[in-house]
């Protein structure tokens, strides 16, 4: 880059000398002139920062993080629409979406107060509406399948664009202010939209549950709205079914193998809640299921906290033998080390 800059400066100096030799001393570079470095050609440049280079060192002190955050999210939304539109440029737009989403998450992790700023600009509601659009196909398919198949929690094909939105919402939800903005978003209801996204698989389910756990914190003054959405969306029943070790739907109803706590066909006995008891399931899948169970218990406990819908939630939990087995457990014992 230094040699290219030196060569460019030498060319400009030569142009100035030629003009001076012609007795013309009023010189300026051509309109719109920019020095283009070959090594940076094709790099995504947003808000005065090269995004890929920022991701290599997210702790780098950005000169203007507010400007960078605004530019990142705005460019991300533009690329998201371009990728969703399809066509020849969709693949490149998808790559840029994933890059911009990762950079936005990294920036928000390092500058927590920026989440409130992003939410105040209305971006949280726009992101939620776009996520609702990505999950609309899942909801329509579930309605066609009927109630019995809905309860089996069939998994949908993973959605990279939807996953990038989900990761960004997950990070925004760490701020009480952004969580309040998501709770009152007009474009789409938060809880039903997130619950539908759980069909994208274990990774999406874990992100959804962590997002709900953050959004339902006592610092969110609009948490009653979220609990009401959860009750209407049947989230309590869904999480209890996830925890149910007695049925094939326990541990998120994974289609990749037997679920945790299934009854042993030879002995007719059932395993204890939270035990793995999986056959044909990889260790990574067992760990994901353990994390899901732990987060499901955390979310249920938050839903049962004092509030406008506490009596309704506690009535549902009190009538469940599954919850009776889980509520007094130190459930984080089932987490894998390092989770």
């Amino acid at each position: 880059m230094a040699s290219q800059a030196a060569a460019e400066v030498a060319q400009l100096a030569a142009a100035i000398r030629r003009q001076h030799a012609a007795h013309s001393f009023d010189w300026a570079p051509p309109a719109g002139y920019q020095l283009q470095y070959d090594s940076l050609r094709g790099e995504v440049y947003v808000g005065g920062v090269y995004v890929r280079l920022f991701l290599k060192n997210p702790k780098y002190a950005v000169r203007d993080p507010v400007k960078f955050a605004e530019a990142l999210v705005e460019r991300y939304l533009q690329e998201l629409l371009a990728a969703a539109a399809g066509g020849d440029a969709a693949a490149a737009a998808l790559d840029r979406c994933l890059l911009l989403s990762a950079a936005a998450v990294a920036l928000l992790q390092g500058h927590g107060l920026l989440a409130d700023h992003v939410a105040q600009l209305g971006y949280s509601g726009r992101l939620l509406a776009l996520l609702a659009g990505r999950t609309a196909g899942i909801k329509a398919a579930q309605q066609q399948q009927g109630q019995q198949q809905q309860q089996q929690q069939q998994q949908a094909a993973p959605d990279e664009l939807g996953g990038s939105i989900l990761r960004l919402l997950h990070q925004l939800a760490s701020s009480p202010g952004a969580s309040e903005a998501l709770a009152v978003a007009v474009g789409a209801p938060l809880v039903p939209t997130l619950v539908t996204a759980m069909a994208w698989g274990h990774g999406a389910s874990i992100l959804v549950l962590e997002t709900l756990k953050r959004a339902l914190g006592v610092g969110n003054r609009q948490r009653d709205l979220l609990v009401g959405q959860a009750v209407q969306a049947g989230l309590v029943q869904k999480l209890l079914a996830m925890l149910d070790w007695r049925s094939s739907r326990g541990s998120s109803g994974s289609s990749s193998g037997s679920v945790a706590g299934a009854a042993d066909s030879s002995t007719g006995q059932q395993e204890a809640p939270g035990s793995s008891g999986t056959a044909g399931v990889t260790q990574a899948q067992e760990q994901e299921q353990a994390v899901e169970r732990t987060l499901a218990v955390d979310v249920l406990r938050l839903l049962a906290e004092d509030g406008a819908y506490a009596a309704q939630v506690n009535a549902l939990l009190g009538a469940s033998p599954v919850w009776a087995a889980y509520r007094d457990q130190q459930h984080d014992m089932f987490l894998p080390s390092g989770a």
Side-chain angles (χ1 to χ4, degrees):
M1 292 175 63
S3 59
Q4 184 178 353
E8 188 72 14
V9 169
Q11 291 180 3
L12 293 175
I16 294 173
R17 285 193 293 270
R18 287 193 298 270
Q19 189 166 327
H20 285 181
H23 304 287
S24 175
F25 301 99
D26 187 13
W27 181 91
Y33 171 81
Q34 288 183 334
L35 175 57
Q36 299 287 343
Y37 291 103
D38 293 336
S39 59
L40 297 177
R41 196 175 301 277
E43 292 284 352
V44 180
Y45 183 74
V46 175
V49 179
Y50 287 98
V51 177
R52 184 181 60 83
L53 299 180
F54 169 73
L55 281 173
K56 284 188 173 181
N57 182 19
K59 295 182 179 180
Y60 173 76
V62 179
R63 180 176 300 176
D64 191 344
V66 174
K67 175 185 174 182
F68 185 36
E70 294 175 2
L72 266 179
V73 180
E74 187 61 40
R75 177 68 180 277
Y76 170 71
L77 291 172
Q78 295 173 5
E79 297 292 349
L80 193 65
L81 295 175
D88 297 337
L94 172 60
D95 290 339
R96 289 192 292 271
C97 276
L98 301 180
L99 184 73
L100 292 164
S101 176
V105 169
L107 181 65
L108 292 173
Q109 287 175 340
H111 300 78
L113 295 178
L114 285 178
D116 287 341
H117 179 71
V118 169
Q120 289 170 359
L121 295 177
Y123 286 119
S124 55
R126 293 171 63 183
L127 288 167
L128 183 58
L130 288 168
L131 180 62
R134 303 299 302 179
T135 61
I138 301 174
K139 188 175 296 185
Q142 289 177 342
Q143 291 172 351
Q144 292 176 358
Q145 288 170 357
Q147 183 66 25
Q148 182 177 359
Q149 288 178 315
Q150 285 184 40
Q151 290 177 350
Q152 292 175 356
Q153 301 181 23
Q154 296 291 333
Q155 289 189 1
D159 184 322
E160 288 186 295
L161 285 177
S164 69
I165 303 172
L166 188 56
R167 285 189 290 273
L168 194 46
L169 289 175
H170 170 263
Q171 186 58 43
L172 285 172
S174 62
S175 159
S179 294
E180 291 175 9
L182 288 169
V184 299
V186 178
L190 176 64
V191 177
T193 302
L194 291 179
V195 170
T196 306
M198 292 175 73
W200 283 331
H202 287 301
S205 181
I206 289 171
L207 272 179
V208 165
L209 292 172
E210 285 186 342
T211 303
L212 289 173
K213 181 178 176 180
R214 292 177 174 183
L216 289 167
V218 293
N220 184 354
R221 294 170 295 182
Q222 304 294 337
R223 70 179 304 276
D224 278 345
L225 289 176
L226 296 180
V227 178
Q229 292 178 12
V231 172
Q232 293 178 0
L235 179 60
V236 175
Q237 295 89 333
K238 184 181 180 73
L239 296 183
L240 289 174
M242 181 185 295
L243 295 172
D244 193 347
W245 68 95
R246 304 166 303 175
S247 71
S248 60
R249 295 192 304 273
S251 299
S252 299
S254 172
S255 59
S256 59
S258 302
V259 296
D264 187 288
S265 59
S266 60
T267 63
Q269 296 182 355
Q270 297 174 336
E271 297 185 14
S275 60
S276 60
T278 54
V281 179
T282 66
Q283 183 177 1
Q285 289 171 331
E286 288 184 14
Q287 291 180 351
E288 287 177 340
Q289 291 171 5
V291 173
E292 280 182 290
R293 289 193 297 272
T294 298
L295 291 171
V297 173
D298 288 340
V299 171
L300 287 172
R301 286 176 174 167
L302 286 169
L303 290 173
E305 292 284 344
D306 290 342
Y309 298 90
Q312 195 170 347
V313 173
N314 280 295
L316 292 171
L317 295 177
S320 171
V322 174
W323 185 243
Y326 269 93
R327 63 186 175 191
D328 297 323
Q329 284 192 1
Q330 186 67 26
H331 60 274
D332 57 0
M333 72 177 67
F334 303 117
L335 281 174
S337 60

